[in-house]
Amino acid sequence: MKVITSNAPAGDETHGCPFKHWDADVMRSKLKRWGVAQPVVTEILGLVKDHHYQIACSRYFEATHNLTSGTVAINHPNEFYQYSRIRLNELAEALPSAKEP
């Protein structure tokens, strides 16, 4: 929660919650560039507008990791990283070559 409530980044700083600190147009542009489907972009922007930054982050995670909505609850950037590593390992183990001796 501290990441969300902290001051916005200034100058060359890169901390903070993008879902809180980015302008809606910037957020829309970046989400589209990152391949998020338009319905999900609209959903995320609605969550941001209603100040549900953690849910918006979780929804972004789900959309970019091919997970069903409501699967993950991200509360800190470290969790985003940890869940990404878990998902990457799950996908790697599902590959046929990963199961061969």
Side-chain angles (χ1 to χ4, degrees):
M1 191 69 153
K2 182 179 178 182
V3 174
I4 291 175
T5 60
S6 66
N7 294 331
D12 291 336
E13 296 177 341
T14 56
H15 63 83
C17 174
F19 298 95
K20 178 179 181 183
H21 300 301
W22 286 356
D23 174 84
D25 291 333
V26 171
M27 177 69 66
R28 181 181 297 105
S29 174
K30 292 207 183 254
L31 291 172
K32 286 181 180 180
R33 189 175 335 135
W34 295 334
V36 177
Q38 183 56 48
V40 179
V41 170
T42 302
E43 179 184 359
I44 289 171
L45 291 173
L47 290 165
V48 168
K49 182 179 177 185
D50 292 338
H51 306 285
H52 298 297
Y53 308 116
Q54 289 172 276
I55 300 171
C57 178
S58 298
R59 190 63 192 103
Y60 169 74
F61 181 92
E62 293 162 344
T64 57
H65 289 79
N66 297 318
L67 296 170
T68 306
S69 179
T71 305
V72 174
I74 304 287
N75 294 303
H76 191 277
N78 290 348
E79 288 182 345
F80 192 103
Y81 172 78
Q82 292 166 338
Y83 290 147
S84 289
R85 294 294 308 164
I86 290 168
R87 184 67 176 147
L88 178 65
N89 289 335
E90 289 172 352
L91 294 173
E93 290 175 6
L95 294 173
S97 61
K99 295 178 182 177
E100 294 177 7

